Amino acid sequence: MVSDERPSPEGPATFREVFAQREYRAVFAANTLTWVGDYVARAAVTLLVYRETESVALSAAAFAVSYLPWLVGGPLLATIAERHRFRQVMVVCDLVRMALMLLVAVPGMPVPVILALLFATTLANPPSQAARSALLPLILPGDRLVVGLSVNASVGQAAQVVGYLLGAAIATVNPTAALLMNAGAFALSAVLVRLGVRDRPPAMTSAHRSHLIRETAAGFQMVFKTPVLRAIAVLVFSAMLFSIVPEGLAAAWANEHAGESMDPGLAQAVIMAATPTGFILGGLIIGRTVAPARRLLLLRPLAVIAPLALVPALLDPPPVVVALLAAVCGFAVAGLLPTANGLFVQALPDGFRARAFGVMATGVQVIQGTAVLATGLLAERFPIPLVVGVWSVAGVMLMSLVVLRWPDQQTVAASVEAARAASSATDGTARASQEGSSDDPGPGHLGPGRPRHAVT
């Protein structure tokens, strides 16, 4: 990992150092609450809609609606976070989601209204998550950021498992109670952020605002026109193309190939839990035990190992072996993602972090959905082991090309230095403006609303 200065042979940051940061503890606790609450609510709403309508399609729609905001306007919504104080954005989004979930919990609410309220609730996700993503580099310096990202990713995976199990258990007895639990989680999250996070000025001052669409486009330009950022984006998107496939096809895979040795339901659960489990282990072990400089060296081999781990699916192994393969894939992906994410935020000027997060999060959502849809359609005509194996072979070839084109250390360091210099220039200009200077920054200003920070 590239530290605040340069890649260092020093040991990795410790969990103690990360959690010693008071602001990080507040953000971590708030995020964990909302993650668990979200998954509890998804399980509850899915069951609630099914009970009301006895329609599998409407029940699935209630689950899928949470992904729509990212698909229809994720980057645009994330740009809002750059215009306002990060703490303010997170608190307001939590309170809005709390109020809307309370409405969903009202007994007798018509299903179309429930779906509309759920969609409105999830519209607050992109700006809230973008604000959090932009805030973390300000809280955690150097390698602490990478370890913090590893912890967040691992806890997010665990929250998914806990939330679904807890939500299903509570919703079976009382779906309204599960929804109220989610509303309470948002309320508590708002309190934690408000009391535990320092108020900071917006990353983008009013003097540098243009049009929301233009500012969003500048985020796309920053990501895809800066060589290092583009390389990281391609790496992350490529990893998402195949790592999600075992989880997405688990139900069909288990029912078609479990045989007599294992119950299909158990086989499905084992396969679906394997990738998150491997991800948790990979994030914590590699993030905690591997030195920052060595993580950068491991990034290339881990990128190839991830799809390579799934190639033996061609041999049609039993579900337990499939789960092991998926766990190895998840382990490798978890080893490379925090390093890539940490490098990504360091190579971004402060005024672009929220927008760039919107670009990346939307890309991940679209690519994961596309991968599951494509492999599902292929599995209608060909055996699932063949589809997953061949898809993974293509992934090995793609990742090999990606790592061969990965920028050298000098290019990476230069991009990080350029982002740091641009951020410093912006901070200096903002301070001068606040002290009474003219609102016009002059022709030489590298403002956060313009894509002039790109390293070309």
Side-chain angles (χ1 to χ4, degrees), residues 94-186:
D94 279 343
L95 294 178
V96 168
R97 290 183 288 187
M98 176 200 71
L100 292 172
M101 288 308 301
L102 288 174
L103 291 176
V104 175
V106 173
M109 189 70 67
V111 170
V113 176
I114 290 177
L115 295 178
L117 289 172
L118 286 175
F119 180 75
T121 301
T122 55
L123 286 174
N125 290 349
S128 177
Q129 293 182 32
R132 181 198 67 195
S133 177
L135 179 65
L136 281 180
L138 305 178
I139 296 174
L140 298 176
D143 191 55
R144 295 178 188 179
L145 174 63
V146 180
V147 176
L149 290 171
S150 296
V151 171
N152 285 354
S154 298
V155 171
Q157 295 290 324
Q160 179 177 352
V161 176
V162 172
Y164 281 152
L165 293 176
L166 187 61
I170 296 176
T172 301
V173 179
N174 188 347
T176 300
L179 297 173
L180 292 176
M181 179 185 295
N182 191 28
F186 284 129

Side-chain angles (χ1 to χ4, degrees), residues 253-254 257-259 261-263 266-268 270-271 317-324:
W253 204 338
H257 298 269
S261 60
M262 181 178 291
D263 176 75
L266 177 60
Q268 177 184 344
V270 168
I271 295 173
V320 172
V321 176
V322 172
L324 289 174

